[in-house]
Amino acid sequence: MGGPAGPSYASSVFEPSIDLVFRDELHRLVPGDIIGRGPRASLPIEDGRVSEAHGLISLRGGTLKLLALRGRFIYRSRPLAELDLAVGQDIYLAPELKFTVVALELPRQVLAVRTKFMTATVLSGVSRLEQASSDRLLPGYKRGAAAIFWNQDSTWLVTTPDDRTQVLQSGADVALGDVQLEALSVDVSQANAHRTHAEDETRRGVFIQTRFNTATIERFDGHMLHLNGVSARIVAELAAVAGPANWLGLAREIWPHEQGRIALRRKWDVSVARLRKKLRDDGISPTLIAADGCGNFELFLSSADRVEAHD
């Protein structure tokens, strides 16, 4: 290999992308590409420390991000679940297993939506307009919302209460009862100024309280998610450990009468998936329940998060 090529911003056909070097080979990835051990990974890595779907390249507003899926990654000695990608970063999937970002192609314009009640707001991740008269977007999916926005790679779609889904492009109008929603393009330089409230909220801290069979997760805005049953037990066990713990030990605490390892794993995986869905639907990042790809789970907390664990 003669060395990685530098970024090119003069291409006639624009596509957001990232160039990275892994094991002396240059790879180009685009939004929606997977990094992992699985056969469908765009960057396949044959290493037992890497999950089948370890991370995802995602375009959020005008930023390319690396999102943790079934495993975390390390940047500047910190384990992370999300990272804004930039040229020059050395990102580790495991000790001595790194890739380096050497070039980025970022969008010149990004998609935003507005109504007579809401100023132009850049779409970023799954979000919703609670009511047609709402003045901001909220994070996550919620059935019955006036409009739910979501993306497939770089394509944005909107779903309305009648379960009708349509592609959103600049210039498109969507009738929300008597309110008209307009999709428009804005320069990427304006993306930070118009960043969604959804993105703001999911980055702020949460307050977690656990009491064995119940748990409460309070967002910064006062909204509270109440959990009970197995979902609450998972959060309570992770809060009590206060660090990484193997899934098998956790599962045996929750299902003490189940002896079969395969049955326990099935119950654990299904229950964690259901818990993450509850978090996502309530506007809380599902990466709060983090896995390292080696069978260990923990509460992935930021410095703004607080936890009170009670017996």
Side-chain angles (χ1 to χ4, degrees):
M1 179 177 130
S8 171
Y9 297 101
S11 58
S12 58
V13 178
F14 169 75
E15 182 179 33
S17 63
I18 174 175
D19 289 350
L20 55 87
V21 173
F22 176 70
R23 290 176 174 166
D24 295 326
E25 292 187 2
L26 182 64
H27 302 264
R28 170 160 290 191
L29 303 182
V30 298
D33 279 350
I34 297 289
I35 298 172
R37 186 163 41 87
R40 297 183 179 179
S42 301
L43 175 55
I45 299 175
E46 297 180 359
D47 193 295
R49 297 169 295 176
V50 177
S51 298
E52 290 185 354
H54 203 94
L56 169 73
I57 303 299
S58 179
L59 180 64
R60 301 289 179 92
T63 303
L64 278 172
K65 293 178 176 287
L66 176 62
L67 305 180
L69 294 179
R70 297 180 186 171
R72 289 181 297 168
F73 49 88
I74 297 172
Y75 177 62
R76 292 183 175 174
S77 301
R78 292 184 56 202
L80 298 173
E82 178 178 317
L83 177 66
D84 291 355
L85 294 168
V87 173
Q89 292 171 330
D90 290 327
I91 301 170
Y92 288 80
L93 303 177
E96 301 178 358
L97 194 65
K98 75 170 183 178
F99 62 82
T100 301
V101 180
V102 296
L104 289 175
E105 282 273 14
L106 296 176
R108 297 179 179 87
Q109 292 192 318
V110 291
L111 194 66
V113 292
R114 67 184 174 193
T115 69
K116 63 181 181 181
F117 300 103
M118 181 180 69
T119 58
T121 303
V122 173
L123 295 175
S124 178
V126 179
S127 55
R128 67 186 188 270
L129 192 65
E130 192 80 19
Q131 299 176 345
S133 59
S134 299
D135 63 356
R136 61 175 180 165
L137 297 184
L138 294 176
Y141 176 98
K142 185 176 180 180
R143 181 172 290 277
I148 301 169
F149 306 96
W150 51 287
N151 67 304
Q152 291 180 327
D153 298 336
S154 299
T155 301
W156 279 99
L157 303 100
V158 58
T159 301
T160 47
D162 57 3
D163 287 330
R164 181 184 176 191
T165 297
Q166 68 182 79
V167 174
L168 268 185
Q169 295 178 329
S170 180
D173 291 326
V174 180
L176 306 177
D178 296 331
V179 177
Q180 202 75 3
L181 180 136
E182 177 190 0
L184 66 155
S185 294
V186 299
D187 289 341
V188 70
S189 60
Q190 301 177 39
N192 289 336
H194 295 297
R195 191 173 59 185
T196 63
H197 290 269
E199 191 176 10
D200 290 338
E201 292 182 14
T202 54
R203 290 184 178 182
R204 301 195 189 185
V206 295
F207 176 39
I208 304 171
Q209 287 184 303
T210 65
R211 296 183 182 275
F212 190 66
N213 277 330
T214 64
T216 301
I217 303 177
E218 182 178 357
R219 287 194 330 221
F220 82 100
D221 60 357
H223 177 82
M224 302 180 73
L225 170 62
H226 298 281
L227 301 171
N228 52 37
V230 173
S231 291
R233 287 295 309 280
I234 292 173
V235 174
E237 292 294 337
L238 293 174
V241 173
N246 186 263
W247 75 268
L248 185 57
L250 296 165
R252 284 175 173 164
E253 288 291 328
I254 297 171
W255 298 284
H257 302 299
E258 177 60 68
Q259 298 301 315
R261 184 185 179 97
I262 294 176
L264 274 174
R265 184 70 205 215
R266 185 180 300 114
K267 287 185 175 181
W268 175 260
D269 286 344
V270 169
S271 298
V272 168
R274 287 174 176 169
L275 172 56
R276 284 173 169 160
K277 184 178 185 303
K278 290 177 182 177
L279 296 174
R280 185 184 297 108
D281 290 350
D282 230 59
I284 300 167
S285 174
T287 57
L288 181 67
I289 310 299
D292 66 359
C294 299
N296 300 308
F297 288 75
E298 68 176 306
L299 289 178
F300 188 78
L301 304 174
S302 72
S303 59
D305 298 325
R306 293 189 299 130
V307 177
E308 285 186 4
H310 303 277
D311 296 332

